[in-house]
Amino acid sequence: MITIKEVKTNKDIRDFITFPLKLYKDCDNFVPPLYADERALLKSGGNSSVGSSVFYLALRDGKVVGRIQGILQKQYNQMHNEKRIRFTRFDAINDKDVASALFSAVERWGQALGMDTICGPLGFKDL
């Protein structure tokens, strides 16, 4: 069974940041992000003047098997008269159920905020 957990505690933050390091440990082309930048983002809750975020972990039998970040980029939505959320930092084991559970969590979060579309991967910036 897959459990989706919102990142709230210091342990959750650590698990969110380190999961890709474990997942891609044998991938020669993986370039890890800067740990300090990731930690600062998660400590802030991913909130800024242009938007807000949510971070989720997927767990199976207490072990992290995936992660995702949802973003509400308010400025973009206002400028383009849209109601969309974004996703980024999606990493998961090769399992459709894990991916589906993570995306469903972000979709529910967006729907609760009145959004009707999801797109990505995109961060706060449109680049």
Side-chain angles (χ1 to χ4, degrees):
M1 181 172 148
I2 300 162
T3 304
I4 300 299
K5 177 181 184 183
E6 186 173 349
V7 172
K8 295 280 190 187
T9 68
N10 284 333
K11 181 185 180 314
D12 296 341
I13 290 171
R14 186 172 51 253
D15 288 345
F16 191 93
I17 293 169
T18 61
F19 175 69
L21 303 176
K22 297 170 188 170
L23 182 65
Y24 303 120
K25 69 179 179 185
D26 295 324
C27 179
D28 293 336
N29 297 318
F30 175 65
V31 178
L34 297 173
Y35 183 84
D37 288 349
E38 291 289 285
R39 184 162 178 74
L41 176 67
L42 272 91
K43 281 289 194 177
S44 75
N47 298 313
S48 73
S49 61
V50 297
S52 57
S53 283
V54 66
F55 301 88
Y56 293 114
L57 292 169
L59 298 107
R60 179 181 285 144
D61 300 323
K63 180 182 173 191
V64 177
V65 292
R67 73 178 198 159
I68 197 167
Q69 176 187 1
I71 297 173
L72 172 59
Q73 216 285 10
K74 296 173 190 172
Q75 286 182 333
Y76 180 91
N77 284 348
Q78 289 170 350
M79 286 176 51
H80 298 278
N81 196 29
E82 292 191 18
K83 293 181 178 182
R84 73 180 193 172
I85 56 169
R86 300 170 175 197
F87 73 89
T88 190
R89 290 177 173 78
F90 169 69
D91 299 285
I93 62 170
N94 189 12
D95 184 310
K96 290 188 290 186
D97 293 334
V98 172
S100 178
L102 285 165
F103 280 100
S104 292
V106 172
E107 288 170 355
R108 284 190 301 275
W109 175 76
Q111 288 170 341
L113 296 171
M115 301 298 111
D116 60 19
T117 306
I118 185 170
C119 68
L122 277 172
F124 280 106
K125 301 192 187 242
D126 295 330
L127 304 175

